[in-house]
Amino acid sequence: MQTAAARPFVGRATVLQAVLSSVLRPGGHGAVVVADAGMGKSALAGVLAEQLDGRIPVHRIHTSSSLSQVPYGALAPLISDVDPLNADSPLAVMRSLLHRLYPERGRAEPAAAPLLIVDDADALDEATADLLAQLVASAQIRILLLARRITDVPAGLSNQVWEGVLSRHELQPLTEEQVHELCVQVLGGPVLTSTSADLTLAAGGNPMLILALLSETMRAGSLAARNGVWLLRAHMLPPEGRLGDLLRAQLSGLSRDERDALELIALAEPLPAATAFDLGLHRSVDALTEAKLVKISTGPSRLLQPLHPLYGEVVRRLVPAARSARLRQRLLASGAVGGRADNLLRWVSWSLDCGAVVSDAELVEAAYRANNAFDSAAALRAAGAVKGPEHSLAARVQAARACYQDGDRGSARELLDGVMEAAADLTTLKMAVLIRVQLYLHEQSGVSELSAVAADWLAGVDRIGAGGNPDAELAADMMSSRRGARLLDLMGRVSHGELQPAEEELTEILADARQAGDDEAILVAEALLAEIFTATGRVRGSYALSQDALAVLDRGGHRFMSYYHFVLQRHLAALLWLGDWDSLQAAAQHGTAGVFGALVRVAGVVDLAVAVMHLRRDDPAGALNYLSAAVEGLRTHDDEGMLPLALALGAFVAASVGRREQAEELLAEGAGLQPRGAVGYQLLSRGYSVGACSVLSMPRDAPQQLRDSIDEAERLGFMAVELELRILALMLGDLDGLGRLVKITEEFEGQQAQTAGRLARAFLDEDVEELLRFGVDQMEPGWGRLAKRCSDEALRLARANGDRALLQRVHKALNKKNGHSPDQVLQTGAPLLTRRERDIAALVMQGYRNAEIAERLFLSVRTVEGHIYRTFEKLGISRREDLKQDLLTGNNQG
């Protein structure tokens, strides 16, 4: 971890350049930077001072609340030669200050106006502010003011902002992407996306608090590196140590009434604003919102909450139990309803802390809400407090769900035993079904078991409805459950490749669900249809369906959070094929705002999608970092069996960039896993594993293994998987199936498919010019490995054509791309082989095997394989049989 002296500077480059431009204007100008404490004003000023070193003199003035009562107190270090008798004389102080700022003023060449950086300018005393304003107006100085609020800066200086003399800049909280960059810089390695997202949420994007959080969570052991990837192992961030000191310091200046109000808001979070005003807290609430310690939501409910989760956590820890109980009684005495829907979970937790009685119904609902917020500890606590038999099964289901989310699948299984057969209501039955499905998917391929679970669900619905004529509400709920059972069965069928019949049934269910207003069935049906549309190349339709499913998630709030991973994964797949990177970045953070710890459940899938995005952008190094994070995230949470694919893709990328050891480790881990998840992803995993092995050692049967996966994808109708694997085969030099590739791309939507189609046609048509454009210009990012294949094919075709002008044009383009001068490339155009490569190539042509070559040349077999692979790459061939003809045709000489 970096030291404080090496504190990184992230997310402020644009503001820095704007401030730098302002202060470099002629004397009499400058800037004001406004931001809350910890947002990086001082860090920005420090970087700016470093950049100005040697260009203009820079002096830094520090103020404080105590100095604000002393005339010219902030200037004391710069006016030490003022006679104490004249300490309050503006003229004497000005002369002393100018003498310090212009020590060599008698020189013929006029000195550049110095820059004065004023920290905490809102604490300047009036005398200093007036003097500095006068010096700015007379162009004697440049100035940079750092303040929390522009309205608190003395009028003489703040007026110069309104007059345009000083430019005004505001530092905004860091975005999730910027916090991720900050974490990577500080921790010095890959960081799981969920970790940086949770830190952003907890600290509100405040850099000072984020750095303190990193330090404190590392000290507490909740933030740790696992297999080289940094991740939060527990989402509770204890505000202790330096972090606690920082937070307590921000709360120390509150009045008694303001502290009472903040404690009540934190303990009841969220607290309706109307209740706070009924308690006479309106002035305190105004002061807390002005101090940016509390936020109030917009909309009809108008709820009060601590601005950041950390504030609420530290306040709740500071309140003694007896005082907490008195505050609760005060709230109850006001006549306000405590257990509102929007703060039921906090209210129940608070009541349990105080030893108050909570009904079993409220406890079950609180456990359900805690699970939706991924707070398993709170869910287990609430469920465990249920006493009566009426709600015992529902409590067991919520406890099972909490255990599953914590990774304790054995306890989850035990708690669910017998629940589906005994459940007396549809909600408990459905929750038990969903957890059982997750357990099946986690422990095996699970898809074949889904039909059995769906049948059990339908049997339970029939049993519950057998007691008599259901009322309208129960009848609607029973229909919804039956739709759910059908959708569960279809989920397994889609995963196994029964795409066309499943699409027809899903379309019917979706229409029925929309007519009935069944949002839960709508979002599941839309997500499954989106999966089918992506698999069959209709990615624009897939995007529309998955986008609508996300909108249903938004409308349902926490109620549908258990479907978040299911919908998001399918939405990201559509965006990857569309190549819409901005939307992908936004979707990666979708739905997690305000849900601390939510993203960790999908972090592996999100990082995998971002890794693929980096590959498509021709950034293999960035892709490998995100793949490392994806693998680690999926080792922890992998609901749909994506870990083998992340391992295989990581191995392929690692092998492609020469990181052999990492590639072999990833391949070994993948080989030890049982197949899981959708068949399409299993085929992709197998294909990329073959690709990685091919890059590492070029086994003779690798292309055939890849062709087998391609044939299986074609047979099942997984067009997207087939397209991906055919592109991979082309990268590895397999030119079979180009006609099929063209046909697929004619039906498949998206930029990548269009590019692949043009490329395949160029190979089929032996279009040297088009191949050369791909090989030299790299018309699409992410095609670097194929670019080499294209340039090699263009060179081969030009040599075979016999057109000397064409051959010279190809040579010229390739030489320019590779930065070679003419004498570095053979006249024939054959790639230059090293002496060792020529020796090994000669033995290959004589029919020697790799082991025999290694023995003759005193090399390892792996070294021989590497030389052969590089020779094949240079010559643009993939078979030993092509080597003799290529060398003879090219007349390759060293």
Side-chain angles (χ1 to χ4, degrees):
M1 183 170 176
Q2 292 188 8
T3 62
R7 175 174 172 170
F9 187 70
V10 173
R12 305 302 189 208
T14 302
V15 176
L16 175 64
Q17 290 305 312
V19 172
L20 187 63
S21 176
S22 294
V23 301
L24 283 177
R25 290 185 294 172
H29 292 90
V32 181
V33 176
V34 180
D36 294 328
M39 294 298 291
K41 301 185 296 294
S42 296
L44 183 142
V47 174
L48 182 132
E50 291 176 4
Q51 294 197 6
L52 291 176
D53 186 33
R55 301 168 70 178
I56 60 174
V58 178
H59 301 271
R60 199 147 187 173
I61 299 172
H62 299 275
T63 65
S64 66
S65 56
S66 58
L67 285 176
S68 66
Q69 307 302 315
V70 181
Y72 306 114
L75 295 176
L78 298 178
I79 57 172
S80 56
D81 59 345
V82 173
D83 190 317
L85 297 175
N86 295 324
D88 58 352
S89 167
L91 183 59
V93 171
M94 179 184 288
R95 285 174 176 168
S96 176
L97 180 60
L98 289 175
H99 178 70
R100 177 66 178 271
L101 298 179
Y102 292 92
E104 302 178 13
R105 200 154 202 174
R107 295 188 307 172
E109 184 179 334
L115 170 67
L116 270 65
I117 300 175
V118 184
D119 285 289
D120 296 321
D122 33 13
L124 274 176
D125 63 278
E126 291 291 339
T128 300
D130 290 342
L131 175 57
L132 294 178
Q134 183 179 347
L135 292 175
V136 171
S138 61
Q140 297 290 310
I141 63 170
R142 300 174 170 92
I143 197 165
L144 172 59
L145 305 173
L146 309 178
R148 294 193 184 188
R149 285 176 287 274
I150 190 66
T151 53
D152 293 340
V153 175
L157 288 168
S158 62
N159 286 341
Q160 291 178 331
V161 176
W162 317 129
E163 295 166 1
V165 175
L166 306 180
S167 61
R168 183 175 183 273
H169 311 269
E170 188 166 356
L171 294 182
Q172 300 296 330
L174 297 181
T175 64
E176 284 190 15
E177 189 174 358
Q178 290 166 343
V179 171
H180 187 83
E181 180 185 351
L182 176 65
C183 292
V184 170
Q185 288 191 23
V186 172
L187 299 173
V191 177
L192 202 64
T193 297
S194 62
T195 294
S196 55
D198 281 345
L199 291 171
T200 307
L201 176 63
N206 184 301
M208 178 181 69
L209 292 181
I210 289 165
L211 291 171
L213 270 172
L214 288 172
S215 176
E216 184 61 27
T217 50
M218 286 183 68
R219 185 197 64 77
S222 54
L223 175 65
R226 194 168 69 190
N227 298 311
V229 178
W230 289 90
L231 70 161
L232 281 168
R233 296 188 296 186
H235 71 260
M236 292 301 294
L237 305 177
E240 299 169 352
R242 176 171 172 261
L243 175 61
D245 293 340
L246 287 171
L247 294 169
R248 284 188 286 272
Q250 291 185 297
L251 305 178
S252 61
L254 299 179
S255 68
R256 178 61 180 270
D257 289 343
E258 290 165 357
R259 182 175 287 275
D260 286 352
L262 183 59
E263 289 176 349
L264 197 56
I265 291 168
L267 287 165
E269 179 184 354
L271 180 69
T275 301
F277 296 155
D278 289 343
L279 292 170
L281 302 177
H282 52 282
R283 290 185 179 176
S284 297
V285 168
D286 289 343
L288 292 171
T289 53
E290 177 68 19
K292 296 190 176 179
L293 295 173
V294 165
K295 63 183 177 182
I296 184 167
S297 64
T298 58
S301 52
R302 304 275 290 167
L303 300 175
L304 291 165
Q305 289 179 279
L307 184 64
H308 308 310
L310 283 176
Y311 291 159
E313 186 65 26
V314 74
V315 170
R316 286 189 289 271
R317 283 172 176 258
L318 290 173
V319 180
R323 176 166 174 75
S324 175
R326 287 196 299 271
L327 287 171
R328 183 178 183 278
Q329 289 302 318
R330 179 184 175 189
L331 190 57
L332 286 172
S334 70
V337 178
R340 292 165 50 96
D342 42 37
N343 72 339
L344 175 69
L345 176 56
R346 178 66 62 196
W347 181 261
V348 168
S349 297
W350 192 10
S351 300
L352 292 175
D353 289 340
C354 297
V357 176
V358 184
S359 72
D360 283 352
E362 287 180 317
L363 288 168
V364 170
E365 179 66 18
Y368 170 72
R369 289 175 177 271
N371 274 324
N372 284 349
F374 302 102
D375 189 348
S376 300
L380 288 170
R381 184 187 187 195
V386 172
K387 303 299 183 185
E390 183 181 353
H391 295 89
S392 61
L393 283 180
R396 279 173 58 188
V397 169
Q398 294 305 325
R401 184 179 171 195
C403 290
Y404 172 79
Q405 290 183 164
D406 267 356
D408 185 0
R409 292 187 287 277
S411 295
R413 256 193 324 273
E414 291 177 8
L415 286 164
L416 280 181
D417 188 30
V419 171
M420 289 185 65
E421 294 77 12
D425 64 276
L426 295 175
T427 300
T428 301
L429 176 63
K430 180 181 70 176
M431 292 301 304
V433 166
L434 293 178
I435 301 166
R436 185 174 160 189
V437 168
Q438 289 174 315
L439 287 169
Y440 273 131
L441 293 177
H442 232 290
E443 293 165 1
Q444 49 197 324
S445 65
V447 178
S448 59
E449 304 287 345
L450 296 183
S451 295
V453 179
D456 290 346
W457 190 359
L458 286 173
V461 173
D462 292 339
R463 176 176 52 78
I464 292 171
N469 293 324
D471 58 24
E473 183 177 356
L474 179 57
D477 289 344
M478 291 176 65
M479 285 300 300
S480 178
S481 293
R482 290 192 172 97
R483 286 188 203 100
R486 289 178 65 193
L487 288 168
L488 180 58
D489 180 61
L490 285 167
M491 177 179 156
R493 290 164 57 189
V494 169
S495 180
H496 267 111
E498 298 179 33
L499 302 183
Q500 184 175 348
E503 181 179 346
E504 295 172 0
E505 192 169 346
L506 281 167
T507 303
E508 175 192 325
I509 293 174
L510 180 57
D512 180 48
R514 284 173 172 164
Q515 185 175 0
D518 186 349
D519 281 349
E520 192 168 6
I522 289 171
L523 75 86
V524 174
E526 287 182 332
L528 285 173
L529 278 171
E531 182 177 349
I532 293 174
F533 277 36
T534 296
T536 52
R538 294 167 287 172
V539 290
R540 294 188 184 91
S542 174
Y543 170 79
L545 285 162
S546 58
Q547 182 75 359
D548 191 67
L550 285 175
V552 177
L553 278 176
D554 285 342
R555 291 198 301 271
H558 289 267
R559 187 161 64 100
F560 295 149
M561 188 58 72
S562 57
Y563 295 107
Y564 172 48
H565 178 284
F566 182 75
V567 175
L568 180 66
Q569 179 173 322
R570 286 146 182 84
H571 186 59
L572 292 175
L575 289 172
L576 282 172
W577 279 107
L578 282 174
D580 187 346
W581 309 135
D582 291 340
S583 295
L584 188 140
Q585 291 277 25
Q589 301 162 5
H590 181 91
T592 61
V595 185
F596 194 72
L599 190 56
V600 72
R601 268 73 191 176
V602 297
V605 169
V606 168
D607 283 333
L608 180 57
V610 176
V612 174
M613 179 187 74
H614 278 272
L615 279 178
R616 302 270 170 85
R617 286 174 162 176
D618 204 18
D619 179 16
L624 204 51
N625 280 335
Y626 274 99
L627 282 166
S628 298
V631 166
E632 202 54 49
L634 290 167
R635 285 184 180 126
T636 307
H637 296 282
D638 184 19
D639 289 345
E640 298 202 41
M642 301 295 287
L643 178 57
L645 175 57
L647 290 166
L649 184 58
F652 177 72
V653 177
S656 298
V657 298
R659 296 174 67 167
R660 184 183 191 95
E661 185 176 348
Q662 181 181 8
E664 290 176 341
E665 289 175 356
L666 293 170
L667 281 172
E669 181 177 351
L673 296 177
Q674 292 295 322
R676 281 188 57 215
V679 172
Y681 288 122
Q682 292 184 34
L683 291 173
L684 279 177
S685 303
R686 195 185 310 158
Y688 275 109
S689 294
V690 170
C693 292
S694 181
V695 173
L696 289 173
S697 59
M698 297 198 72
R700 291 191 181 189
D701 58 343
Q704 184 56 51
Q705 292 176 8
L706 187 54
R707 290 191 197 104
D708 291 342
S709 295
I710 292 171
D711 292 343
E712 181 71 3
E714 181 180 357
R715 184 183 67 80
L716 292 172
F718 287 117
M719 189 184 295
V721 174
E722 183 188 353
L723 175 57
E724 186 84 6
L725 294 179
R726 287 193 182 278
I727 293 173
L728 175 61
L730 191 56
M731 288 181 182
L732 298 174
D734 186 354
L735 300 182
D736 292 342
L738 287 173
R740 171 65 182 170
L741 183 55
V742 169
K743 182 179 179 181
I744 294 174
T745 57
E746 288 173 347
E747 302 175 15
F748 207 105
E749 298 169 349
Q751 185 62 45
Q752 188 187 23
Q754 294 173 17
T755 304
R758 284 176 30 229
L759 183 61
R761 279 189 291 272
F763 274 99
L764 282 172
D765 298 342
E766 298 187 344
D767 187 338
V768 175
E769 300 290 353
E770 181 77 289
L771 287 168
L772 201 57
R773 277 193 291 271
F774 270 100
V776 175
D777 299 336
Q778 286 197 41
M779 298 174 67
E780 296 295 334
W783 294 71
R785 193 173 182 85
L786 272 173
K788 176 68 167 61
R789 193 71 60 195
C790 292
S791 59
D792 289 345
E793 181 68 4
L795 181 60
R796 186 189 69 79
L797 291 170
R799 291 204 312 244
N801 185 279
D803 185 336
R804 297 185 62 84
L806 176 63
L807 186 59
Q808 287 179 348
R809 194 159 63 249
V810 172
H811 278 262
K812 184 177 180 180
L814 294 179
N815 291 345
K816 182 178 179 181
K817 174 191 174 185
N818 297 323
H820 292 160
S821 59
D823 59 346
Q824 290 177 295
V825 182
L826 299 177
Q827 285 187 341
T828 60
L832 183 65
L833 301 183
T834 65
R835 179 173 297 278
R836 178 65 75 188
E837 288 167 349
R838 292 198 307 275
D839 292 343
I840 292 174
L843 293 172
V844 169
M845 287 191 295
Q846 295 175 46
Y848 287 98
R849 293 175 299 172
N850 291 355
E852 294 170 333
I853 295 172
E855 184 178 356
R856 289 178 66 90
L857 298 180
F858 304 101
L859 299 172
S860 69
V861 174
R862 179 173 292 180
T863 299
V864 171
E865 291 171 347
H867 282 302
I868 293 174
Y869 167 67
R870 284 187 290 274
T871 300
F872 282 19
E873 281 280 286
K874 289 180 179 181
L875 298 177
I877 60 177
S878 59
R879 300 183 306 166
R880 298 167 85 95
E881 293 79 5
D882 297 332
L883 184 59
K884 183 173 182 179
Q885 179 178 356
D886 196 276
L887 286 177
L888 291 174
T889 304
N891 192 25
N892 193 312
Q893 301 176 39

